[in-house]
Amino acid sequence: MADSADAAAPLVELRNVRKSFGDNVVLDEIELLVAPGEAIVIAGPSGSGKSTMLRCINGLEEVDSGSVLFDGERVDPRSRTIGRMRADIGMVFQQFNLFGHMTVLENVMLAPVKVKGVERDAAKVRARELLETVGIPEKADAAPADLSGGQQQRVAIARALAMDPKLMLFDEPTSALDPEMIREVLDVMRDLARGGMTMVVVTHEMGFAREVCDRLVFIDEGRIVEQGPPAEFFAAAKSPRAREFVDKIIHH
Ligand SMILES: Nc1ncnc2c1ncn2[C@@H]1O[C@H](COP(=O)(O)OP(=O)(O)O)[C@@H](O)[C@H]1O
Ligand SMILES: [Mg+2]
């Protein structure tokens, strides 16, 4: 975290970001800095703007006003450099979106070969390493449909890592999983964070937030309502909306 005068520049910087869909103000004066190596959790009720915020960070949505910077460069969906920037940002969704007609290994190799022009043999070696990292090396030649949801999500993480991203965005990565598979995915994410990956994670998994994340950012109706150490947030959220939210996820 930025605690000294010569602290590293933020990897992600949102400055006064506003975004509406028609009359619906979805992001309102969002200010967010993410330091290199930091892992943060974005929490908030459904419809509060969490996914939109992630999509603005990697330029899948254009902001109405304010600015988004990634690694010091403006994120602009219309710019010619957006493809190169996106290649540095891995994204993992609730739905794994693996290619069903390819093996697990081919799924992980695809982007490096297609987007970065990595040679197939090298991409294959790297893909095998990554399947090792996410704990399913034995599934390399399997079809995605033959994997459990937890295994498929771990392949999706390996696929994102195959591009050697500087930043990983996770949008409710365990929300579609059966309870017994959530742990295995969170463990992979925890190891990534401990390995120094910069991560922005939308999740309701409080244990993960507390154990792994440096900071929790609570968003409601498009505004950042409060932020701080996850443990403090769960123990004593300050705003009524945040307390209501914590009560709901604890008792659900
Ligand atoms: N492409 C879109 N077009 C119109 N409205 C959208 C679009 N994407 C999101 N919204 C609206 O923006 C609000 C925030 O959505 P979202 O960012 O998905 O919230 P969250 O991820 O916190 O549930 C919701 O009201 C949603 O209906
Ligand atoms: Mg969402």
Side-chain angles (χ1 to χ4, degrees):
M1 304 264 310
D3 55 4
S4 68
D6 60 353
L11 185 61
V12 179
E13 196 168 345
L14 275 66
R15 291 290 186 195
N16 200 11
V17 165
R18 292 179 56 97
K19 171 81 187 170
S20 302
F21 292 109
D23 292 341
N24 186 7
V25 179
V26 174
L27 296 177
D28 198 3
E29 294 175 22
I30 296 285
E31 299 275 337
L32 182 73
L33 302 182
V34 185
E38 200 180 14
I40 74 168
V41 161
I42 310 285
S46 178
S48 58
K50 304 179 298 296
S51 295
T52 304
M53 191 152 97
L54 292 188
R55 293 167 58 80
C56 288
I57 292 174
N58 71 357
L60 289 172
E61 294 286 358
E62 193 173 14
V63 303
D64 295 339
S65 63
S67 59
V68 180
L69 287 102
F70 171 69
D71 210 7
E73 262 187 88
R74 203 179 174 105
V75 177
D76 174 1
R78 295 161 189 261
S79 72
R80 280 180 297 135
T81 51
I82 190 68
R84 180 175 50 72
M85 290 174 80
R86 266 196 211 125
D88 284 335
I89 304 176
M91 186 143 184
V92 175
F93 303 90
Q94 186 173 325
Q95 301 302 335
F96 333 116
N97 303 319
L98 300 175
F99 292 111
H101 62 290
M102 294 179 186
T103 66
V104 161
L105 194 72
E106 286 165 347
N107 268 277
V108 179
M109 291 169 60
L110 185 68
V113 171
K114 291 277 179 211
V115 179
K116 279 191 168 171
V118 174
E119 198 239 336
R120 277 189 69 83
D121 286 345
K124 193 176 284 185
V125 170
R126 177 76 178 128
R128 286 196 187 280
E129 280 173 15
L130 287 167
L131 290 176
E132 193 89 44
T133 301
V134 300
I136 40 173
E138 74 284 3
K139 296 296 183 188
D141 299 318
D146 294 330
L147 271 53
S148 71
Q151 290 170 333
Q152 289 189 55
Q153 191 59 301
R154 287 188 280 155
V155 174
I157 294 172
R159 178 179 59 177
L161 292 174
M163 292 293 279
D164 290 320
K166 294 178 182 161
L167 170 71
M168 286 285 285
L169 306 176
F170 293 86
D171 196 352
E172 304 204 29
T174 60
S175 296
L177 298 177
D178 292 334
E180 70 271 20
M181 290 167 190
I182 291 175
R183 186 76 252 163
E184 67 193 44
V185 172
L186 294 178
D187 283 350
V188 168
M189 292 166 60
R190 177 200 60 209
D191 292 348
L192 258 185
R194 296 211 171 135
M197 178 62 77
T198 310
M199 304 185 7
V200 179
V201 183
V202 174
T203 184
H204 293 171
E205 292 293 332
M206 295 187 297
F208 174 83
R210 236 189 318 241
E211 214 190 302
V212 175
C213 294
D214 303 301
R215 177 157 51 111
L216 183 146
V217 175
F218 177 73
I219 168 172
D220 186 38
E221 296 182 343
R223 288 178 162 268
I224 293 177
V225 177
E226 58 184 282
Q227 53 181 310
E232 272 177 31
F233 178 83
F234 293 121
K238 291 178 194 75
S239 64
R241 289 291 286 154
R243 280 200 301 274
E244 193 182 313
F245 175 81
V246 170
D247 280 349
K248 257 188 208 145
I249 48 180
I250 288 173
H251 298 120
H252 102 132

